[in-house]
Amino acid sequence: AGNNITVHTRTDALSTVRPRVGFVLGSRFLVYGTGGLAIAHVGYTASTDFRPVGTTQYNSAFTKTQKGWAGGGGAEFAIGAGWSVRGEYLKYDVGSVQTATVNAIPLLPPFQVNYVWTTDSPNLFRFGVNYKF
């Protein structure tokens, strides 16, 4: 009774470096695949709280820049006069298991809590309008 465990993982930023390779259908429609490097800044937080029964808390918070891969595909359609619209599917994985072992605050009782996080491998759907000059 009174125990509260909260765990969060948050990706603050994502960057990719990847070429697009595809072919043109007609004169205005490009279909492509893409793949390469993904870099993400991920924040990890966790807290176990035994209040109001006791006063002990086990808190952990840290961030990490992780590398992995990104891949997907898309299509781009040239409207004219340098304008185009595009849609893209992208999956990335910067996953690795992160762990933290924390001591109690205050140090009573004198035992530790071990947290384990796994990062997701999200799917992104992106749409855009481009102007080429």
Side-chain angles (χ1 to χ4, degrees):
N3 296 349
N4 183 27
I5 299 172
T6 306
V7 179
H8 291 282
T9 304
R10 185 179 76 214
T11 301
D12 297 322
L14 171 69
S15 297
T16 62
V17 178
R18 54 195 168 82
R20 297 192 306 177
V21 177
F23 54 92
V24 177
L25 301 173
S27 62
R28 295 180 168 209
F29 192 66
L30 170 67
V31 178
Y32 63 89
T34 183
L37 175 68
I39 301 170
H41 187 258
V42 183
Y44 301 92
T45 59
S47 177
T48 300
D49 185 343
F50 291 105
R51 293 180 289 176
V53 176
T55 60
T56 306
Q57 292 181 324
Y58 296 85
N59 299 321
S60 179
F62 63 96
T63 61
K64 189 170 183 181
T65 301
Q66 298 174 205
K67 292 178 244 166
W69 60 269
E76 187 168 346
F77 181 75
I79 299 170
W83 291 93
S84 67
V85 293
R86 70 183 181 111
E88 181 178 74
Y89 164 77
L90 187 66
K91 183 174 187 72
Y92 72 92
D93 187 350
V94 293
S96 61
V97 175
Q98 302 299 323
T99 63
T101 302
V102 295
N103 294 313
I105 303 171
L107 197 56
L108 249 156
F111 64 87
Q112 298 176 320
V113 170
N114 187 43
Y115 296 111
V116 178
W117 293 267
T118 58
T119 53
D120 293 330
S121 183
N123 299 299
L124 301 175
F125 295 93
R126 305 183 327 167
F127 301 94
V129 176
N130 301 316
Y131 179 71
K132 297 176 180 152
F133 52 94

